[in-house]
Amino acid sequence: MSAASSPFPSTIVTGGTIGSIVVGCKLQVLHGHPAEYRKAEVLSIRPAPSADDASRCEYYVHYSDYNKRLDEWVIPDRLNLLGEIEYPKSKKPKTVLAGVGKETGKGSEPGTPSGRVSKNNRKSNLSKAASTGKGSEPATPGTPGSNKRKAAAMEDELEPSPSQEKGNDTPSIQINGEDEDDDDMNGDLGSQGMGPEEEGVFSKEQEIEKLRTSGSMTQNPHEVARVKNLNLIQIGKHEVETWYFSPYPTEYAHLPILYICEFCLSYFPAVKQLSRHRLKCTLQHPPGNEIYRKDDISFFEIDGRKQKVYCRNLCLLSKLFLDHKTLYYDVDPFLFYVMTIRDEDGAHFIGYFSKEKESSEQYNVACILTMPQYQRMGFGRLLIAFSYELSKVEKKLGSPEKPLSDLGLLSYRAFWAETIVGLLIEQHRTQIELSIDDIANRTAFQPQDVLHTLQNLNALKYYHGQYVIVLSDTVIKNWERSSKKKKREVDPKALVWKPIHFTASQLRYL
């Protein structure tokens, strides 16, 4: 339903009716547990007739100052119609006078800074037109140059200077507890924000940069759908609230809950259909090769070309929790690594990551996800560690594909920092100096990621004509405190896997 103009002369009124609520209204909406009223904006309205009210509608709202993943469809009973309601301002259409080249009330001659047309300019234009014998034509504005990104990419910020690249003064290790600028290793490592964007539609490059620097928030509805179509899914014994839009068939959009088989990831509109499917579905684990087993954790490798249906269902499921993901059906060029937890009922889906079969940028992860019900349990860190363990077997340096989501960026920064600090402390005890390239080769991290992490830790210092790595007391204490926690680790001995080398014919996709 498209936005309508405000029926009131004032944009903010106290009290209203459900019929006066239009797209763009801002009002208090009941949210959370325990429930409380929060200011929200109505982004969309859809009909949802009930037995008592055939004209009943549902409202898709975005809560002000909250992440987009909390957007949801709400029923009319959750709207506070007695409080203040802010209506959208009606926009007046701009009228343009034909042949003059300026809008009503404003001059718009190209090339003038203030948009005004001076008399001298008018006379000069008339004299030019008379001398050429042609009618007066409006001047065409100069073609703007290519739009530069508002914020530099991470790699651009972290590129070493030419003197560093060509010189032999590689950073050495120095543990010094008297550093004044102490940084917390697990602190908030926020990226720089973008400047104000120009009006109009975002380009794809600008949208990717916006996603990269501002997490999962987006402003381009053409790049990332703004309104999610599902509120709740049930997978296994868990009911999970969805975060973002996913292109499931339209007939599933208005369901109160979507039922998903946790083994084959097929989706059904009713629990009875899921029960009938489970009687016929013979899968007890993902349809791939088990390449890792340690305790109750297993990893399965799945070829997107051989298991298209499963991988497409996996992409649809992951899109519910990844705002920037655009791959749904073209799964042939990718390998999927699914992590499961085993019990007497089978191998239950925890999360996954995918990687290109042939990556020109040496990416070892294209997309990574831990299901919300398994987050904050160390499984995301285990997924990241496993991706780098594969890179070590391949004898390559890897890095995740950009842009990362907001949660993915935080997870990778914490993993990089913990791994690098642990390596530096261990090597300092043995009196072995390491350069950035040495750290990259031992961890399978890209040198840019190592440099980026050291800069975030404020560990790079310029001393006597060369850069040295200095870890502050705060960083060391936080690492020691973190290392005492019990964590799941990847055991290289439990990995039974050889890199797959694809021929030209196998990489040719129809």
Side-chain angles (χ1 to χ4, degrees):
M1 182 177 294
S2 60
S5 59
S6 172
F8 300 93
S10 176
T11 58
I12 300 179
V13 298
T14 301
T17 62
I18 193 64
S20 65
I21 302 300
V22 295
V23 173
C25 285
K26 296 181 180 180
L27 70 165
Q28 299 292 320
V29 179
L30 205 60
H31 176 72
H33 302 284
E36 60 179 349
Y37 281 106
R38 297 175 180 171
K39 187 176 182 180
E41 178 184 359
V42 178
L43 301 182
S44 182
I45 304 175
R46 69 182 181 187
S50 61
D52 300 332
D53 186 4
S55 61
R56 179 176 174 268
C57 293
E58 289 183 345
Y59 302 85
Y60 190 76
V61 298
H62 168 70
Y63 298 99
S64 302
D65 300 326
Y66 283 84
N67 194 284
K68 181 188 169 186
R69 64 174 61 99
L70 297 179
D71 297 0
E72 61 179 341
W73 290 100
V74 298
I75 58 176
D77 295 340
R78 293 174 58 181
L79 305 181
N80 183 9
L81 300 177
L82 301 179
E84 285 190 353
I85 302 177
E86 181 179 348
Y87 290 90
K89 296 180 180 180
S90 57
K91 296 182 179 179
K92 297 181 179 180
K94 297 180 180 179
T95 58
V96 180
L97 299 180
V100 179
K102 64 176 182 178
E103 299 175 4
T104 304
K106 290 184 180 180
S108 62
E109 180 181 346
T112 56
S114 61
R116 299 176 182 174
V117 183
S118 63
K119 295 182 179 180
N120 295 333
N121 288 339
R122 291 175 183 172
K123 292 180 180 180
S124 61
N125 290 337
L126 291 175
S127 61
K128 290 180 181 178
S131 62
T132 55
K134 297 181 180 180
S136 175
E137 296 179 359
T140 57
T143 56
S146 58
N147 293 328
K148 297 183 179 179
R149 295 184 177 180
K150 302 299 179 184
M154 280 186 229
E155 292 80 14
D156 295 336
E157 295 178 3
L158 304 176
E159 285 294 330
S161 62
S163 59
Q164 285 181 255
E165 295 180 350
K166 297 179 181 179
N168 297 325
D169 46 336
T170 56
S172 59
I173 307 303
Q174 178 184 356
I175 307 294
N176 185 2
E178 298 180 357
D179 183 19
E180 295 180 357
D181 299 326
D182 295 345
D183 277 354
D184 187 352
M185 186 184 73
N186 295 325
D188 184 16
L189 305 176
S191 56
Q192 292 183 354
M194 294 178 63
E197 295 290 348
E198 297 178 359
E199 294 183 0
V201 180
F202 276 39
S203 67
K204 189 173 184 65
E205 290 77 11
Q206 290 173 325
E207 175 64 18
I208 291 175
E209 188 65 22
K210 185 71 176 177
L211 287 170
R212 182 178 206 152
T213 56
S214 302
S216 62
M217 302 302 291
T218 181
Q219 298 181 13
N220 188 353
H222 300 288
E223 287 293 328
V224 182
R226 199 179 183 193
V227 178
K228 67 181 179 182
N229 50 349
L230 295 170
N231 274 344
L232 198 65
I233 64 171
Q234 178 177 313
I235 177 168
K237 59 182 180 181
H238 301 281
E239 287 189 357
V240 186
E241 292 184 358
T242 62
W243 294 354
Y244 305 113
F245 169 86
S246 183
Y248 280 97
T250 54
E251 56 265 25
Y252 296 92
H254 297 277
L255 295 176
I257 183 170
L258 182 68
Y259 299 90
I260 298 177
C261 175
E262 62 177 331
F263 297 112
C264 70
L265 304 184
S266 299
Y267 44 89
F268 304 92
V271 64
K272 186 175 181 179
Q273 295 184 16
L274 175 63
S275 301
R276 293 178 60 186
H277 165 78
R278 287 304 307 151
L279 296 175
K280 302 175 183 178
C281 182
T282 59
L283 283 179
Q284 296 295 321
H285 58 78
N289 299 324
E290 186 177 10
I291 61 175
Y292 179 90
R293 176 180 290 189
K294 179 69 179 295
D295 299 331
D296 57 347
I297 298 296
S298 293
F299 279 87
F300 292 83
E301 181 182 57
I302 304 171
D303 191 337
R305 189 173 190 178
K306 296 179 180 178
Q307 300 290 343
K308 292 185 179 181
V309 175
Y310 179 88
C311 294
R312 288 171 180 172
N313 290 339
L314 179 58
C315 291
L316 287 174
L317 175 62
S318 63
K319 180 63 184 72
L320 291 171
F321 308 101
L322 296 173
D323 196 15
H324 65 283
K325 184 175 177 60
T326 57
L327 170 67
Y328 312 124
Y329 300 106
D330 185 19
V331 296
D332 288 12
F334 294 89
L335 292 170
F336 295 81
Y337 295 89
V338 178
M339 181 171 61
T340 62
I341 184 168
R342 299 188 317 277
D343 60 15
E344 62 276 4
D345 297 326
H348 305 280
F349 177 76
I350 295 178
Y352 85 103
F353 68 88
S354 61
K355 61 185 295 187
E356 291 180 283
K357 295 176 180 178
E358 290 292 334
S359 175
S360 59
E361 303 292 337
Q362 299 299 317
Y363 292 137
N364 64 351
V365 167
C367 182
I368 186 169
L369 168 73
T370 304
M371 291 295 291
Q373 66 268 27
Y374 292 106
Q375 291 180 2
R376 303 188 67 83
M377 297 181 183
F379 291 116
R381 180 183 180 277
L382 194 64
L383 277 171
I384 297 173
F386 189 80
S387 68
Y388 281 108
E389 198 62 41
L390 296 184
S391 297
K392 292 178 182 178
V393 176
E394 293 177 310
K395 297 181 180 179
K396 296 180 180 179
L397 303 182
S399 180
E401 186 174 335
K402 312 301 187 301
L404 289 168
S405 64
D406 50 354
L407 296 180
L409 185 60
L410 292 176
S411 299
Y412 265 96
R413 283 175 169 172
F415 178 78
W416 288 334
E418 181 182 358
T419 304
I420 292 173
V421 172
L423 179 62
L424 294 177
I425 293 177
E426 178 184 352
Q427 295 304 316
H428 176 69
R429 292 169 181 170
T430 59
Q431 299 299 320
I432 298 178
E433 293 186 352
L434 294 178
S435 66
I436 289 179
D437 289 336
D438 294 333
I439 297 174
N441 291 329
R442 295 197 181 197
T443 59
F445 299 168
Q446 287 281 359
Q448 294 88 345
D449 296 333
V450 176
L451 184 61
H452 174 77
T453 304
L454 293 175
Q455 286 183 338
N456 279 322
L457 295 175
N458 199 23
L460 284 179
K461 305 296 181 182
Y462 193 76
Y463 181 74
H464 286 300
Q466 66 176 356
Y467 284 96
V468 295
I469 301 176
V470 182
L471 297 181
S472 64
D473 281 345
T474 304
V475 171
I476 297 175
K477 289 180 181 178
N478 279 282
W479 178 84
E480 291 175 347
R481 184 171 62 249
S482 176
S483 61
K484 293 179 182 178
K485 298 179 181 178
K486 187 178 180 180
K487 299 178 181 178
R488 295 179 183 266
E489 301 289 346
V490 176
D491 185 4
K493 297 179 181 179
L495 176 62
V496 182
W497 180 77
K498 290 183 179 180
I500 304 176
H501 299 284
F502 296 95
T503 63
S505 60
Q506 291 174 324
L507 294 174
R508 189 180 299 117
Y509 309 109
L510 300 178

